[in-house]
Amino acid sequence: MNTADNCLSIDEFTVLADAGELNTVICATPDPYGRLVGKRLTIQAFRSLGLAGDGINASSFIFAVDLEMNPLDLPVSNAANGWADIRLVPDLSTLRRVPWEPNAALVICDAFEPGSDTMLAVAPRTILRDQIERARQQGLGFKFASELEFYLAATPPREAWDLGYQNLKMLSDYRSDYQMIQSSRDDWFIERIRNQMPDFGVSIESSKPEWGLGQQEVTLDYCDTLEMADRHVLFKYGVKQLAHAADLTVTFMAKPKIDDVGSSCHLHVSMWDADMDESLCWSSRPAGGMSEKFGAFIAGQLAHAADITLMFAPTINSYKRFQPDQFAGSAIALGNDNRSCAFRLVGHGPSYRVENRIPGGDVNPYYAYSATIAAGLDGIQRQLPIPEIFDGNAWTGENITLVPTSMHDALHRFAECKMLRTGFSDEVFEHLLTSSQHELTAFDSHTVTDWECRRYYERV
């Protein structure tokens, strides 16, 4: 059954394909960085491989490379196993048309072991499926929403590349957070996002200019966990495609410039029964507020936030965003509608939820949602008490723990996190740990930065 807005049934797909309105099917799966990777198939090939066959073959190395596509020699894919193929099997509930490519459809695939009906354990979508199932076995389900921020430059992508992404002409000239004048100026492009994303099966709530120069925020409607992670990745894919076609350069980096505000991805999560019929967040007590189970779920997130920050902040750049007084969720506290806290309670009754303000725009939603569920389930299992509500400025509060502010610290904390190792399995945990260690080594040992040249070139 199709769950996303505007997805295609097989019958609808067949009608469009037979009429010649579709000639390409993009078969893609999210990689470790939340990018879509895969192949473009003809209609005939999709029918024979994706519908009637065993799936689309792809090298397992797509889950074992860095951002430059350098192989990382991980157990899932290395020289010893010949970077063996895996199978990409379409999840037909995600089949949809691509509004900006009228003759193309796109379907998200799950990764399977070759010659087996077992999903590849380290694939991001598998990791999240496993956490959803863990919750289901405890009678629980979750709904998420990603609130993404990004920067737009009025410099064409190829020119931006040639400039090394330095001194780009941003879409706005001055701070315009919530300003409708700037919103009107930007809407020649942002309107394409609001109107075409729903046709792509990604439901949009709202858009607005953000505080940074050229920065935008688009809020996605909440939905079930896996579908929301898919929508998050499809949204970023779509924004990049639309921006490129409009000669704009877009970035979801957490901190593109040290002298401008970072881009967040606030994660909203609510807890439901396994059938997704009843919210379990709001207490039935006359005064309302957090239910005991939802309180324990949030307490688990608070308890493990520092240890799992790597799942919310996956790059070197992520940690440049964690600065006080810039609304990054660096202070681990729970507040009622308090943006200085890493965790913020919003809504009431059926809309009651917690917002995690730690992740940046560079987050992989499959990892972040999985870590959120695992930490929350641990809090429920340990019956942690409802957390205290912090009142005031959490950045200057006493006895407030901060998230790790460097990837070195985050990796160290992550490596020692027994909760996530148990919740994810040794295989998945080691895969994530080793991948991140490679990323840190690439920066520490194989890079000379502009800062180093300016500081040391003539002076040492």
Side-chain angles (χ1 to χ4, degrees):
M1 184 178 82
N2 291 323
T3 54
D5 295 341
N6 285 2
C7 281
L8 296 173
S9 68
I10 290 300
D11 289 342
E12 291 168 333
F13 168 81
T14 299
V15 170
L16 292 169
D18 289 347
E21 293 189 42
L22 294 175
N23 59 30
T24 300
V25 181
I26 303 166
C27 295
T29 194
D31 78 351
Y33 308 98
R35 304 174 298 183
L36 289 178
V37 296
K39 296 181 180 181
R40 287 175 177 252
L41 275 61
T42 63
I43 297 297
Q44 180 181 355
F46 177 67
R47 283 171 165 163
S48 63
L49 298 174
L51 298 181
D54 295 327
I56 298 94
N57 285 347
S59 173
S60 55
F61 108 118
I62 61 176
F63 299 112
V65 292
D66 65 12
L67 278 161
E68 297 283 2
M69 303 304 291
N70 297 310
L72 297 181
D73 192 29
L74 295 172
V76 67
S77 187
N78 52 53
N81 65 23
W83 300 281
D85 274 357
I86 48 91
R87 297 184 299 118
L88 301 181
V89 178
D91 177 349
L92 295 177
S93 72
T94 69
L95 183 64
R96 66 198 70 209
R97 298 189 76 168
V98 183
W100 48 90
E101 293 188 60
N103 300 119
L106 182 149
V107 65
I108 296 177
C109 300
D110 286 303
F112 282 77
E113 299 277 1
S116 167
D117 289 331
T118 302
M119 286 188 181
L120 193 71
V122 300
R125 217 164 182 257
T126 307
I127 295 171
L128 183 53
R129 282 186 180 278
D130 287 345
Q131 296 309 306
I132 293 170
E133 177 59 21
R134 286 185 66 213
R136 191 194 65 79
Q137 291 177 1
Q138 298 184 36
L140 299 174
F142 298 96
K143 294 185 180 182
F144 279 80
S146 290
E147 189 178 314
L148 280 154
E149 297 170 354
F150 54 93
Y151 276 90
L152 287 168
T155 306
R158 181 57 61 86
E159 183 181 342
W161 171 268
D162 292 340
L163 291 170
Y165 301 109
Q166 299 296 313
N167 302 314
L168 304 184
K169 174 64 176 174
M170 304 311 293
L171 207 57
S172 59
D173 299 316
Y174 48 83
R175 308 294 177 205
S176 301
D177 195 7
Y178 284 98
Q179 295 296 314
M180 288 296 98
I181 290 177
Q182 188 64 45
S183 176
S184 297
R185 292 172 180 172
D186 297 340
D187 216 43
W188 67 271
F189 177 71
I190 301 300
E191 178 266 347
R192 301 180 193 181
I193 296 175
R194 287 198 313 273
N195 289 340
Q196 292 196 54
M197 283 295 168
D199 291 338
F200 196 37
V202 180
S203 183
I204 301 295
E205 178 184 289
S206 63
S207 65
K208 75 174 185 69
E210 259 293 341
W211 191 82
L213 300 184
Q215 193 179 32
Q216 306 285 335
E217 177 185 276
V218 177
T219 303
L220 310 185
D221 284 332
Y222 74 93
C223 59
D224 294 354
T225 305
L226 183 62
E227 185 179 327
M228 187 68 245
D230 290 341
R231 290 187 187 187
H232 177 128
V233 167
L234 290 166
F235 174 81
K236 290 180 68 173
Y237 173 82
V239 170
K240 291 177 181 181
Q241 298 288 85
L242 291 170
H244 192 276
D247 267 347
L248 300 176
T249 298
V250 62
T251 182
F252 288 85
M253 284 179 67
K255 190 75 169 177
K257 295 179 65 177
I258 199 64
D259 58 353
D260 215 335
V261 71
S263 285
S264 302
C265 175
H266 302 146
L267 299 184
H268 294 252
V269 57
S270 56
M271 186 170 69
W272 297 68
D273 64 1
D275 295 326
M276 308 303 284
D277 293 328
E278 180 185 1
S279 172
L280 304 179
C281 301
W282 192 253
S283 174
S284 59
R285 297 188 303 269
M290 271 182 287
S291 69
E292 288 189 8
K293 183 165 282 190
F294 190 53
F297 177 78
I298 295 175
Q301 294 182 65
L302 288 164
H304 295 294
D307 294 336
I308 63 176
T309 295
L310 190 66
M311 297 291 94
F312 305 131
T315 72
I316 296 290
N317 180 256
S318 304
Y319 299 86
K320 308 295 174 65
R321 177 176 153 267
F322 292 139
Q323 299 184 26
D325 301 321
Q326 290 198 6
F327 299 100
S330 54
I332 302 175
L334 177 66
N336 268 323
D337 195 12
N338 185 338
R339 286 177 169 84
S340 72
C341 298
F343 295 90
R344 172 178 171 244
L345 292 168
V346 288
H348 65 279
S351 70
Y352 197 54
R353 63 197 185 276
V354 65
E355 174 192 64
N356 179 352
R357 300 177 62 82
I358 299 172
D362 54 356
V363 70
N364 182 327
Y366 301 92
Y367 295 165
Y369 294 4
S370 295
T372 297
I373 293 171
L377 292 181
D378 182 71
I380 293 172
Q381 182 179 1
R382 292 162 56 195
Q383 297 183 322
L384 295 181
I386 294 176
E388 294 184 5
I389 303 298
F390 182 88
D391 187 24
N393 186 345
W395 293 311
T396 59
E398 294 184 1
N399 302 317
I400 298 294
T401 302
L402 301 179
V403 299
T405 55
S406 75
M407 197 170 184
H408 285 276
D409 188 15
L411 260 169
H412 175 73
R413 297 291 297 261
F414 182 83
E416 301 298 319
C417 184
K418 295 180 180 178
M419 177 279 300
L420 210 58
R421 179 182 286 276
T422 300
F424 278 13
S425 82
D426 286 336
E427 178 184 4
V428 169
F429 187 86
E430 288 295 333
H431 175 85
L432 297 174
L433 177 62
T434 304
S435 298
S436 295
Q437 288 170 334
H438 277 290
E439 184 73 4
L440 183 58
T441 299
F443 180 78
D444 282 349
S445 303
H446 306 304
T447 305
V448 175
T449 66
D450 292 344
W451 182 90
E452 292 168 274
C453 289
R454 285 195 301 269
R455 192 173 185 91
Y456 302 128
Y457 203 93
E458 289 189 88
R459 304 185 210 188
V460 294

